[in-house]
Amino acid sequence: MWGSTYLAIVYVVETMPPLLAASMRFALAAPLLAVFLLVRRGPQAFRATRRQLLTAAGIGVLLLAGGNGGVTLAEDRGLPSGLAALLVAALPLFVVVLRLLARDRPTPLTLVGVGIGFAGVALLLLPGNRPDGVSVVAALLVVGGTLSWAVGSFAATRVGLPPDQLLATVVEMAGGALALGVAGLLSGERLDVGAVEAQSWWGLAYLVVFGSVVAFSAYTWLLGNAPVSQVATYAYVNPVVAVGLGALFVGEQVTGTTALGGLVTLVAVAVVVTEEGRRRRALAADAPVLAVEPAR
């Protein structure tokens, strides 16, 4: 589902301003998820401190305004959806760099994988490797958005969020929607409802339900229940889905060099995630086990 959202964004930005459309996406998804939470778990699920709510809103700004906003702006500037997903595949590499800055030192093989991955990203960004008419600015918007998403994902595992993970997701969507809306208005965007064509409305509806209520909720749940390096492996699947759908539905072409850069990036992510998984298993095996004397 998440891989298909890159194509949905292409349809949305055809006749909608990018930042305001992204804001509408999360502004509509947040109350839908809130109603589901209320019906499923009752009013007690909404208990949280002011600090937890503000923290969740800040994470939403990083993930949705920075991360999703960057991708939406880039696709509005003509960046193919498949190439955007290939660039976002560098997410696990950024996460490793953030762990390194936090003095959680990765293994040498992990660092080698990071180096290979960023070489793949550089290959995707080189002049002549991008489709005709696509500027480096559009590609850099995705890279910057991916970095923002990585920072938000990394921070979400280390800060105090609302106890209920779905409530945290609702607040993150609200924070992201507000930031995207303000940014859109300040940049001069205005929504002319009469000029919006049907495919943009359908694309927006798809993003609200499948991209936000389903996929983003699953992602934020995983951030609270799995290691962030493991969660970031969703970046394996997105490029394959996005490239295939972009070629099938809107005729996006992937050059040989772009395919090579994407392959190098994905191989590097595979090296990093495999090594990190091996490291976690080794640490778990070395952890002391407390012997409990049986009751007499």
Side-chain angles (χ1 to χ4, degrees):
M1 288 183 186
W2 208 340
S4 63
T5 60
Y6 291 86
L7 177 62
I9 291 172
V10 171
Y11 289 116
V12 168
V13 298
E14 282 183 354
T15 58
M16 283 186 175
L19 294 177
L20 291 184
S23 176
M24 290 173 58
R25 167 185 175 179
F26 297 110
L28 292 170
L32 288 176
L33 189 59
V35 170
F36 171 81
L37 180 59
L38 179 63
V39 172
R40 183 71 180 269
R41 300 181 186 172
Q44 64 274 12
F46 291 82
R47 293 175 181 169
T49 66
R50 180 181 299 180
R51 182 172 182 177
Q52 289 171 336
L53 294 174
L54 290 174
T55 300
I59 295 295
V61 171
L62 289 169
L63 293 176
L64 304 178
N68 183 265
V71 171
T72 305
L73 281 173
E75 292 194 28
D76 182 59
R77 290 171 174 259
L79 188 74
S81 59
L83 180 55
L86 286 171
L87 290 169
V88 173
L91 173 68
L93 310 179
F94 284 118
V95 170
V96 171
V97 173
L98 293 171
R99 286 181 46 213
L100 183 63
L101 294 175
R103 299 183 180 179
D104 178 11
R105 186 168 180 79
T107 65
L109 184 57
T110 295
L111 294 177
V112 170
V114 171
I116 294 173
F118 284 127
V121 172
L123 193 60
L124 291 170
L125 294 176
L126 285 175
N129 296 341
R130 302 182 302 278
D132 294 338
V134 175
S135 68
V136 69
V137 174
L140 288 176
L141 280 170
V142 176
V143 175
T146 304
L147 178 58
S148 179
W149 188 281
V151 172
S153 301
F154 185 73
T157 64
R158 293 173 174 249
V159 297
L161 295 174
D164 192 293
Q165 195 63 53
L166 284 182
L167 175 61
T169 305
V170 169
V171 178
E172 287 168 9
M173 287 182 180
L178 178 61
L180 285 163
V182 170
L185 293 174
L186 290 178
S187 64
E189 290 186 1
R190 297 295 183 269
L191 178 64
D192 182 0
V193 177
V196 178
E197 297 181 2
Q199 72 269 18
S200 294
W201 288 120
W202 283 113
L204 181 63
Y206 186 89
L207 290 174
V208 169
V209 177
F210 297 104
S212 302
V213 173
V214 178
F216 182 66
S217 297
Y219 183 79
T220 56
W221 183 89
L222 278 171
L223 285 175
N225 293 274
V228 66
S229 296
Q230 184 179 7
V231 178
T233 58
Y234 83 90
Y236 279 139
V237 184
N238 279 0
V240 178
V241 177
V243 169
L245 292 179
L248 182 63
F249 286 96
V250 291
E252 293 180 355
Q253 295 184 352
V254 180
T255 66
T257 308
T258 300
L260 177 61
L263 180 61
V264 169
T265 304
L266 292 176
V267 167
V269 171
V271 170
V272 168
V273 173
T274 302
E275 176 63 11
E276 288 298 298
R278 184 201 64 77
R279 181 191 182 196
R280 286 195 301 273
R281 290 190 295 271
L283 290 174
D286 292 341
V289 178
L290 298 178
V292 178
E293 183 179 352
R296 297 184 184 278

